[in-house]
Amino acid sequence: MGLDLHDLEPVSRRSTAAIVADRIRQAIMRGTFPPGTQLGEVELAGRLGVSRGPLREAMQRLVAEGLLRSERHRGLFVRDLDAADVRDVYLARTAVERAAGMLILDGDRSAATERLTAALAAMEAAAAAGDAVALADADHGFHAELVAAAGSPRLRRMADALLVETRMCLAALQQTAPPAEELLVEHRVLRDAVHDGDADRLVATLEAHMADAVDRILGPAGGGPAGAGLPLGPPPAVPA
Amino acid sequence: MGLDLHDLEPVSRRSTAAIVADRIRQAIMRGTFPPGTQLGEVELAGRLGVSRGPLREAMQRLVAEGLLRSERHRGLFVRDLDAADVRDVYLARTAVERAAGMLILDGDRSAATERLTAALAAMEAAAAAGDAVALADADHGFHAELVAAAGSPRLRRMADALLVETRMCLAALQQTAPPAEELLVEHRVLRDAVHDGDADRLVATLEAHMADAVDRILGPAGGGPAGAGLPLGPPPAVPA
DNA sequence: GTGCCGCGGATTGTTGACAATCATACGAGC
DNA sequence: GCTCGTATGATTGTCAACAATCCGCGGCAC
């Protein structure tokens, strides 16, 4: 239902490096590779059925995206995100999605509303089914659709990268249980604000939504002033 | 004078791929490789004195950054930016630098003011010397310092990528002569707004500054509503 | 007992060569 | 004259092997 650009795509599929990059990215997102784990090149290459050449290229892409951290002659490690990183991710997301929202309000609101409604339906279905990972997927999809509807390639690219990091946060610090109903309400308000063209309400709701997400992940400790740069303390229990 | 993070860098220098990526990036920024040119791997590898392996890794990074466009079995080409891209770059920059500015206003304003003043001094020196490329460098440095002072790693990373694309725009569509005095005034106002903690003035000036830059590059045609997505017409004279 | 030195194992970084693929130019057929 | 099929050339994509580097452990001198 949610295929974006299948309209007669050129026959040549993407390069091998891009494919394995997507694979690794998805594995990191889904928590298959916990933060801090070392990714051996030979093992990964063997498991994916490719050689080390394309795999290294894919790794470089992921390093550029900030998902991996490369130590020279030591290996590649999955970046572990601390509390400051969580705040930073949501701060950047707020900036990007805010700009996307303003852009939508100056553009085709009805089309955007339609796309957001569809994404919202996916969230509602997942919530009704009680499927937590599907709900997270749909949440991801809603925000991706929000900035995609803005029509800015660069905002979209930045948002995609940030959403991947968001999933990393969720996978790493798996919160107990996201209150599905509250989540749905917040997203519904976002869509309505887009529909009504209410800029102030959209921005306020977006910021509150992001702050809520940070609180949900970190516990209601440092969600307010968002002082970036502090490593800060142990919220409930984070592994080293 | 403007070195950012030279503070006792680890002895092991970066990987070869990162070095060649920086080289290519700089070459693209400075206009050495005009947009649309094909970058042959063997030629580049020979010229840089490295093999094709590390070079391909560097290329993947640059593709991920959006500076190169890879066509399968065709080659790597320098992305050529049209008018819509110019508007999009400045739109994204506005979003990022606005967020950075708000963050600074909630943080250490005096330190940020100091850094911005230093960057401004570099601009003034370049303007006084009549050195256009030094002025562009200093302009670049001012905005880089602005988001660096915010202390958000992700905003910083996004801004760096966008600034490189900005330089690409400037190099490709080399404008006649940027009015140095006006440029200085605008940046001075930005710094003063940071110093005074005036959020409204900072945002307004920033948006005006970006709109001015777009007008300067494209000619005063479509700077107002910034309708992204249109390829749009020939402002004065753009090469295909 | 403590600190230093050297060695073994493993991993990454790099290289060169092989194979697959595509664009271009030329000639045959209609 | 135009179009289609084919040969050629160059380029990218991929692979397996070589070399450099670093961590951990055992032994030795002090």
Side-chain angles (χ1 to χ4, degrees), chain A residues 103, chain B residues 87 91 222-229:
Chain A
L103 211 56
Chain B
R87 278 190 284 268
L91 171 74

Side-chain angles (χ1 to χ4, degrees), chain B residues 204-229:
Chain B
T205 309
L206 195 62
E207 289 176 352
H209 178 54
M210 294 295 178
D212 283 357
V214 172
D215 288 349
R216 249 178 243 131
I217 296 177
L218 263 51

Side-chain angles (χ1 to χ4, degrees), chain B residues 97-111:
Chain B
E97 299 193 21
R98 178 191 185 281
M102 302 303 279
L103 211 56
I104 289 175
L105 261 50
D106 282 341
D108 191 345
R109 291 213 313 269
S110 62

Side-chain angles (χ1 to χ4, degrees), chain A residues 154-175:
Chain A
R154 277 152 194 88
L155 286 182
R156 189 190 214 289
R157 197 171 53 198
M158 299 190 296
D160 285 343
L162 291 171
L163 283 174
V164 172
E165 285 194 285
T166 302
R167 296 297 288 272
M168 269 183 71
C169 299
L170 296 180
L173 302 78
Q174 70 282 4
Q175 76 283 20

Side-chain angles (χ1 to χ4, degrees), chain B residues 16-17 49-54 57 72-74:
Chain B
T16 311
V50 297
S51 186
R52 278 182 51 205
E57 298 172 16
R72 200 179 153 81
H73 291 107
R74 291 284 294 276

Side-chain angles (χ1 to χ4, degrees), chain A residues 12-182:
Chain A
S12 65
R13 61 188 178 282
R14 294 167 307 171
S15 72
T16 311
I19 296 177
V20 307
D22 284 343
R23 281 279 190 87
I24 309 278
R25 195 174 328 176
Q26 195 173 354
I28 293 178
M29 271 189 359
R30 301 174 75 151
T32 309
F33 295 133
T37 51
Q38 180 173 5
L39 300 180
E41 294 183 356
V42 285
E43 181 194 347
L44 271 183
R47 185 180 297 189
L48 292 173
V50 297
S51 187
R52 280 181 52 206
L55 186 130
R56 279 179 65 84
E57 298 172 17
M59 290 309 198
Q60 287 292 333
R61 270 177 86 139
L62 296 178
V63 168
E65 289 177 23
L67 278 90
L68 299 179
R69 139 182 74 93
S70 164
E71 293 187 21
R72 198 177 153 83
H73 292 107
R74 291 284 294 276
L76 291 155
F77 302 87
V78 182
R79 276 206 53 184
D80 46 350
L81 307 175
D82 57 6
D85 284 310
V86 173
R87 278 190 284 269
D88 194 49
V89 166
Y90 278 92
L91 170 74
R93 276 189 59 186
T94 306
V96 171
E97 299 193 21
R98 178 191 185 281
M102 302 302 281
L103 211 56
I104 289 175
L105 262 48
D106 282 341
D108 191 346
R109 290 214 312 269
S110 62
T113 304
E114 201 168 333
R115 297 172 72 168
L116 292 181
T117 302
L120 206 55
M123 287 185 67
E124 289 163 346
D131 190 342
V133 307
L135 183 59
D137 279 336
D139 189 347
H140 186 125
F142 181 93
H143 290 274
E145 208 68 27
L146 176 68
V147 333
S152 164
R154 277 152 194 88
L155 286 182
R156 189 190 214 289
R157 197 171 53 198
M158 299 190 296
D160 285 343
L162 291 171
L163 283 174
V164 172
E165 285 194 285
T166 302
R167 296 297 288 272
M168 269 183 71
C169 299
L170 296 180
L173 302 78
Q174 70 282 4
Q175 76 283 20
T176 59
E181 198 50 49
E182 182 184 343

